[in-house]
C-alpha cells in the first residue's frame, strides 16, 4: 500500500490518483488464507504547490539617437580699415641774430624839430630798436638807436628842408628777419613819396634800383603812393618781394589799364622783375594804396 501511495505521488498527473482518495486492492492470492487481515492505509494527500516561474518581460526600449546637426553661422565681421593719415609736423625754426652793438651816440639835438620816432627791428635780434627822423634847421636826419645801446645817424637826407618828412616804420621786405626802413620823404597833391633804407653793420644805406631797361640803375628807391582822377599808384609787400601797381583810367572811364611789377631785394639793391598787365573794370577795387605789414602812412 505504501508503494501505491508512493507511485501516486510520483504520478500525480494520472487520472487514478487525482483527488488524493484511498483505494483497497485485494491480492488474488489471499483467498487461500484462513485469516484475512484488514489493513487501513491512510494516504495524506500532499499538496504540491508549483510556483510558476515569474516571467518578467522587459520590453526592449530602443533609443534612437538622431544626430542633430546644428549649423552655427559665424557672425559676419566687417573690418573697416581706417584711412591712413600721415601727419607731417613742420617745426618752425626761428633764427635770432646776435644783438648789434654800435658806437655810442649823443641824444637827438635839443633844437630838433618835427621829430617822429617808431619801433623797428633792424638787426634781427628781436630787441626793440628805434628809428627817429628829425630836422635841425634845414637838414633832415635819420637816426637808429639799437636795442642794446649805441646807435648811428645818417646826417643828411636828400630832401628839401620844407618837404614833409617823417618816419613810417620798418618791414622785412626779403624775409631775412631784419627790417628795412620806410621813410616819408615828400608829398604832392595826390601822392606820398616813400624812400627805403637798409641797415647793416651800424650803417644806414639808401636802397637803390636795378631796373630791367638799365635806365634807372643806381637810382634811389623812392616810390609814389596815391590816387588822382584817372591814375592810381600803390606799394605793397608780401614778405619776400615788394610790388608796385600803376593804373590808368581809359578815356571812356570804363576800365583801368593796370601794371604790377615785382622787386626783389638783395643787400641794398632792389632788382626789378617783369610786370604783369591786366584790364580791370573801373567799378572794381584796385586794393590798398599802401600795404606792408601794419605800417601806416603818417
Amino acid at each position: 500500500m505504501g508503494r501505491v501511495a508512493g507511485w501516486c505521488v510520483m504520478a500525480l498527473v494520472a487520472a487514478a490518483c487525482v483527488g488524493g482518495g484511498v483505494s483497497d486492492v485485494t491480492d488474488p492470492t489471499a483467498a487461500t488464507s484462513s485469516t484475512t487481515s484488514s489493513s487501513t492505509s491512510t494516504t495524506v494527500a500532499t499538496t504540491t504547490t508549483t510556483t510558476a516561474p515569474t516571467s518578467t518581460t522587459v520590453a526592449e526600449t530602443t533609443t534612437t539617437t538622431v544626430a542633430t546637426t546644428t549649423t552655427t553661422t559665424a557672425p559676419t565681421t566687417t573690418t573697416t580699415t581706417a584711412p591712413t593719415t600721415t601727419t607731417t609736423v613742420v617745426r618752425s625754426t626761428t633764427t635770432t641774430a646776435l644783438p648789434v652793438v654800435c658806437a655810442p651816440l649823443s641824444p637827438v639835438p635839443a633844437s630838433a624839430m618835427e621829430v617822429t620816432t617808431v619801433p623797428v627791428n633792424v638787426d634781427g635780434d628781436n630787441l626793440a630798436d628805434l628809428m627817429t627822423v628829425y630836422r635841425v634847421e634845414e637838414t633832415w636826419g635819420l637816426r637808429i638807436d639799437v636795442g642794446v645801446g649805441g646807435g648811428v645817424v645818417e646826417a643828411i637826407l636828400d630832401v628839401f628842408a620844407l618837404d614833409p618828412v617823417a618816419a613810417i616804420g620798418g618791414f622785412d621786405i626779403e624775409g631775412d628777419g631784419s627790417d628795412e626802413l620806410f621813410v616819408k620823404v615828400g608829398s604832392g597833391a595826390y601822392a606820398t613819396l616813400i624812400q627805403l633804407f637798409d641797415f647793416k653793420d651800424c650803417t644806414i644805406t639808401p636802397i637803390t634800383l636795378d631796373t630791367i631797361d638799365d635806365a634807372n640803375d643806381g637810382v634811389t628807391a623812392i616810390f609814389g603812393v596815391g590816387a588822382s582822377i584817372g591814375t592810381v599808384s600803390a606799394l605793397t609787400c608780401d614778405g619776400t618781394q615788394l610790388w608796385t601797381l600803376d593804373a590808368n583810367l581809359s578815356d571812356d572811364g570804363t576800365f583801368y589799364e593796370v601794371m604790377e611789377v615785382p622787386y626783389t631785394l638783395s643787400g641794398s639793391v632792389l632788382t626789378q622783375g617783369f610786370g604783369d598787365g591786366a584790364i580791370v573794370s573801373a567799378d572794381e577795387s584796385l586794393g590798398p594804396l599802401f600795404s606792408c605789414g601794419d605800417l601806416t602812412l603818417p
Side-chain angles (χ1 to χ4, degrees):
M1 187 69 182
R3 288 170 54 188
V4 175
W7 181 87
C8 282
V9 171
M10 297 298 295
L12 183 62
V13 294
C17 296
V18 173
V22 176
S23 297
D24 290 333
V25 178
T26 303
D27 188 351
T29 63
T32 64
S33 176
S34 60
T35 306
T36 303
S37 300
S38 179
S39 301
T40 301
S41 176
T42 302
T43 301
V44 179
T46 302
T47 301
T48 301
T49 301
T50 303
T51 302
T54 301
S55 177
T56 302
T57 302
V58 178
E60 182 179 353
T61 302
T62 302
T63 302
T64 302
T65 303
V66 179
T68 302
T69 303
T70 303
T71 303
T72 302
T73 302
T76 302
T77 302
T78 302
T79 303
T80 303
T81 303
T84 302
T85 301
T86 302
T87 302
T88 303
V89 178
V90 179
R91 292 181 172 83
S92 176
T93 302
T94 302
T95 301
T96 301
L98 295 175
V100 174
V101 179
C102 301
L105 187 66
S106 58
V108 174
S111 60
M113 303 175 64
E114 301 181 67
V115 179
T116 55
T117 301
V118 294
V120 292
N121 180 26
V122 294
D123 50 11
D125 62 2
N126 294 322
L127 298 176
D129 307 313
L130 295 176
M131 175 174 69
T132 302
V133 172
Y134 60 95
R135 179 173 68 85
V136 175
E137 295 182 353
E138 297 182 358
T139 301
W140 287 95
L142 172 61
R143 171 192 179 105
I144 293 295
D145 290 286
V146 297
V148 295
V152 64
V153 64
E154 175 75 7
I156 300 175
L157 291 177
D158 188 17
V159 294
F160 294 107
L162 298 180
D163 284 344
V165 179
I168 297 174
F171 184 83
D172 184 7
I173 296 175
E174 59 188 332
D176 65 351
S178 299
D179 288 346
E180 281 67 49
L181 308 175
F182 289 66
V183 179
K184 175 184 175 182
V185 293
S187 61
Y190 300 102
T192 297
L193 300 180
I194 299 174
Q195 184 173 352
L196 305 180
F197 295 85
D198 182 45
F199 179 93
K200 287 290 188 296
D201 300 326
C202 296
T203 300
I204 297 174
T205 304
I207 292 176
T208 58
L209 299 177
D210 179 7
T211 57
I212 292 176
D213 60 5
D214 298 329
N216 293 307
D217 287 354
V219 173
T220 300
I222 299 177
F223 299 96
V225 174
S228 65
I229 299 175
T231 63
V232 176
S233 296
L235 184 67
T236 60
C237 307
D238 64 9
T240 58
Q241 291 180 308
L242 184 100
W243 289 79
T244 60
L245 179 146
D246 291 291
N248 294 289
L249 189 65
S250 63
D251 292 339
D252 60 4
T254 60
F255 64 87
Y256 281 100
E257 294 179 353
V258 179
M259 178 64 68
E260 292 183 282
V261 179
Y263 290 83
T264 302
L265 181 65
S266 178
S268 58
V269 177
L270 268 177
T271 301
Q272 184 184 46
F274 289 98
D276 183 17
I279 301 297
V280 178
S281 171
D283 296 330
E284 294 184 29
S285 172
L286 297 177
L289 295 178
F290 179 62
S291 177
C292 289
D294 57 359
L295 300 184
T296 58
L297 295 178

